[in-house]
Amino acid sequence: MAAKDQILSPTRLAWRSFRRRKLGLLGTAMVLVLILVALGGTLLAPYDPNAMNSAASLVSPNLAHPAGTDRFGRDQLSRLMEGTRISMLVSFGSVGLSLLIGLPLGLVAGYYGGRLGGFIMRLEDVVFAFPTILLALMIVATLGPNLSNLVIAIAIIFQANVVRIVRAQVMSVKEKEFVEAARAVAARDAVIMARFILPNILSPVIVQATFHLSLAIFIEASLSFLGLGAQPPTPSWGLMLNESRTFMEFAPWLTVFPGLAIIFAVLGFNLMGDALRDALDPRLSER
């Protein structure tokens, strides 16, 4: 490694490594497009996403309606843009909530270990025992089908992965010299975990959270397709796919565009996550 590399901070090294990964930059650009559309959906949308026009029912894509219209004459492009906001809210909301739950539990389980750590991990084993979609179905069906409960369901599923990753990282870091030094000066456990351990274990957590963002979009679309996520007339990508099943033969655009939106979002987050993983891993950052 060159002398110049040695004086760069870890953050700068990671950023320089990330910039060299063209697919990662492409994925980041795709994610930024999604965020911009989500933030400005109502301003950017050419029509009211819920406005009906029976005279324009099932119009194929044209200049006035680039993504066509549905059976009620609603503009599909406007609904796709509003669906982007729904997907981003569910994705970032569920991942953020999972981190709020999983980070403290993982820190406690890894730092203290023993019976407390074992009890926390046995609870997480219960979550791992169920397939992801099945557990989400059970939770949403119990709490009720709406977006808030969907966020809670996805967060409960994701926090188990967060706990497992954080616990493993804490167990490898807590015996380091700087942690021992903090104990030697009688620093409180909460201070040690927050100031000395947490900043040194965030890299794998950030990478996992990025992949969770894409998985959350897929889960939200799947449950909305089954009627357990967004409820009509809320424009959700999964719900739009469900509503278009009857018209697939003579109005295929109703299925194609929501499907492409889901693919675009999942691909963007995955490409960005792959690049982040490589950039934040010191064994891969220089490849």
Side-chain angles (χ1 to χ4, degrees):
M1 186 180 293
K4 182 180 178 181
D5 294 346
Q6 296 176 353
I7 63 175
L8 291 176
S9 67
T11 303
R12 286 192 160 206
L13 286 172
W15 169 239
R16 193 182 66 174
S17 176
F18 184 82
R19 285 188 306 173
R20 291 205 303 264
R21 287 161 170 80
K22 304 303 182 185
L23 288 178
L25 293 177
L26 174 62
T28 303
M30 294 166 70
V31 170
L32 289 176
V33 169
L34 291 169
I35 293 174
L36 289 174
V37 171
L39 291 175
T42 54
L43 298 176
L44 300 175
Y47 302 94
D48 181 344
N50 293 320
M52 299 183 185
N53 181 7
S54 58
S57 176
L58 296 178
V59 172
S60 60
N62 54 46
L63 291 178
H65 303 281
T69 63
D70 64 7
R71 58 176 173 165
F72 298 112
R74 296 176 297 192
D75 181 64
Q76 285 292 89
L77 178 60
S78 301
R79 291 180 64 78
L80 285 170
M81 295 174 73
E82 181 66 13
T84 303
R85 185 180 67 85
I86 300 298
S87 294
M88 293 300 103
L89 283 174
V90 171
S91 182
F92 282 97
S94 60
V95 172
L97 182 58
S98 72
L99 292 175
L100 288 176
I101 299 171
L103 279 173
L105 289 177
L107 283 168
V108 170
Y111 188 79
Y112 292 109
R115 291 183 178 180
L116 179 58
F119 175 73
I120 292 174
M121 296 312 298
R122 297 297 76 77
L123 290 177
E124 304 305 337
D125 287 341
V126 175
V127 177
F128 283 120
F130 293 89
T132 300
I133 295 295
L134 177 59
L135 182 57
L137 278 169
M138 292 170 56
I139 296 173
V140 174
T142 301
L143 298 177
N146 58 58
L147 288 177
S148 298
N149 292 337
L150 182 56
V151 169
I152 294 173
I154 297 174
I156 291 174
I157 295 169
F158 286 171
Q159 61 83 31
N161 273 329
V162 175
V163 171
R164 183 177 62 177
I165 292 171
V166 171
R167 174 179 176 270
Q169 294 296 315
V170 171
M171 292 179 67
S172 66
V173 170
K174 70 177 183 179
E175 304 300 332
K176 299 289 186 180
E177 291 81 1
F178 60 88
V179 177
E180 294 294 340
R183 291 198 189 100
V185 296
R188 293 181 299 172
D189 290 343
V191 173
I192 293 175
M193 286 188 280
R195 294 187 58 186
F196 298 98
I197 294 180
L198 183 59
N200 288 281
I201 65 170
L202 283 180
S203 293
V205 177
I206 293 172
V207 172
Q208 188 62 42
T210 305
F211 289 116
H212 279 171
L213 290 170
S214 66
L215 183 56
I217 292 173
F218 178 77
I219 295 174
E220 184 274 327
S222 299
L223 294 187
S224 293
F225 180 84
L226 296 174
L228 293 174
Q231 300 299 303
T234 303
S236 163
W237 294 339
L239 186 59
M240 292 171 70
L241 284 173
N242 186 7
E243 294 174 342
S244 67
R245 289 182 300 165
T246 310
F247 309 96
M248 286 181 63
E249 292 186 7
F250 52 89
W253 61 86
L254 296 179
T255 303
V256 169
F257 288 107
L260 289 176
I262 295 172
I263 293 172
F264 183 88
V266 172
L267 180 62
F269 280 112
N270 282 341
L271 290 177
M272 186 175 71
D274 283 337
L276 276 175
R277 179 197 59 204
D278 296 343
L280 294 175
D281 190 334
R283 296 169 297 180
L284 301 173
S285 59
E286 292 301 317
R287 293 184 185 178

